Amino acid sequence: MNIEKLKDDLQLHEIQEDFLPEGLHKLLVAFSDGQFSEERARQCFNKLLDNKTLLLDPSKRTALLMKLAIPDAKELSQELGLSFNEDDVQEMYDKLERWSKRAKIEELRPLCDYFGVDFERLQAGVEEFIPVAAERSISPQYPLFPYQVRGMLSVIKKWEEGWKRVLLHMPTGSGKTRTAMSIVCNRLYCGKTRLVVWLADSKELCYQAIDEFERSWRHLGNTPLKAYVYSGEDRVDLSKVESGFLAITLQSANNVLKNDYEIFEKFISASPLVVFDEAHKAIARTYANVIDSLVPKISPPPLRPLLLGLTATPGRATEEESESLAATFENTIVELRGENGEHIVEYLMKKGYLAIPNFKTIQVDFNLQNFLKSQGLPKGYKVREKDTNRLIEYIANDNNRNLIISRELVNNLLPNHRRIIFFAASVKQAKLISSLLNVVSNRKVSEVVTADTPNRKKIIDWFCEKSRPGEPRILCNYGVLTTGFDAPEVSAILIGRPVDSLVLYSQMVGRGLRGPNAGGTPEVEIVRIHDNGLPQFLDLKDAFNNWNEQWRNS
């Protein structure tokens, strides 16, 4: 069937009634002072009824098919695969009509073939309307978990109550940075501040901060902003920074304070929000000076700079230092609880936000007398803090101890885990153990990362990228990976060095605490090499509560 012939066979009144707006012919006759003849009308109307309009518009398509003679309608129905009683003409036309009204674009190919129309040309450039359900599910692009929302709102409430300095205490692995970035975006979005100053410990952490800010502001922001890094050789012109997000290392900030205080005065005029990452370091004199300069405890209205500290360990080694840290933040802390008031660590583990740690301790005999003798120290000498470095170096060179570590990694951890972190006692030990693992495995399963590793990012990317089952990877590191490192698949950690700092211990364990609801693993195995006579820490809950007495809890 030729569609042009079908169109030519249509009567003028049929065209007017079924295919064109009602009253069009009458209006055209009046518009042309009666000079618009029926012959002219047919010519014009046929041009209006192009094949795309006739076949794609459900109402016009249906009207056209209803003009088919019985034999033609029967032939088309068979081409379309419609079943009907051949003796019941009305049933045939009814089914053809229903098909035409419901047909989607991709179902029109046999109709086009029947009429001799190019389906591909007809379809080109056509976007089919897809009905949208009355109820939709809309997911945020930068979401917070409920406990993170509670933390954010609690911080904002503290500021609204008049406190200028607040410390946000969240367990490692629970999303401190994401929560903080939501607070940052809220202050910028609402116009409460024009400038955010993010204080971090290293250039690497500064770049991680602006990467995260960019991700958050893309979804939560309301105006274009600039982000800056000031660290080492990467230095923007701070005199031109008036708004936006500035990530600056603590050392660089201290240098600016000493050499160009006018910059800080300009920052204060913007009522900045200052965020101190790893805020337990804030009591260092140089860093405290930076804080006091950017967020003075007394500032003339309407200026109101604010300070937000972030930490999983709100304390230091001594009670005096912990009290000093609390005073730095006006003894004001936001500490999270579960929905029913339960301890936050227990709550996060129960809900799958944190992995459940399974601790294993391997006892190693430490002979103090042998150590004293090797160092030329007298019997009865009391090991002091100043001896820590040579004590750790001595332990790291113990061949029997290294053999115990190697066997634990090869026989127990590598066969049962995909991603493992080994915290070594020295750079030398990290390299030694890593080499042994690769030789024994007969392939590369391990890399070394230290503070001096030039291609650290490349190695970390290798560790984090997807690998085939049965291909475990382990990072042997010394002095790094305790902060600013995110590898959700880590399910085993071996701490091969003595740790007398609860802060450091919590950071090490925290590298494997990402739970399944946060993209991590349900459980994490924590293996500790414990040298008899040296300190160790056991319970994460106790670690989280260790400094509560120094703070005014939220």
Side-chain angles (χ1 to χ4, degrees), residues 147 150 171 335-351 353 541 544-545:
Y147 69 89
R150 293 196 295 271
E335 200 166 60
L336 304 183
R337 285 280 169 184
E339 294 170 351
N340 300 313
E342 61 265 51
H343 191 281
I344 188 61
V345 173
E346 294 176 344
Y347 167 80
L348 295 178
M349 289 180 182
K350 181 175 68 176
K351 293 293 185 179
Y353 297 120
K541 179 180 172 182
F544 192 82
N545 290 338

Side-chain angles (χ1 to χ4, degrees), residues 44 85 94 212 216 249 277 294 361 479 482 493:
C44 293
N85 185 347
D94 288 345
E212 189 64 25
S216 62
T249 59
D277 196 13
L294 285 173
T361 300
T482 55
I493 292 172

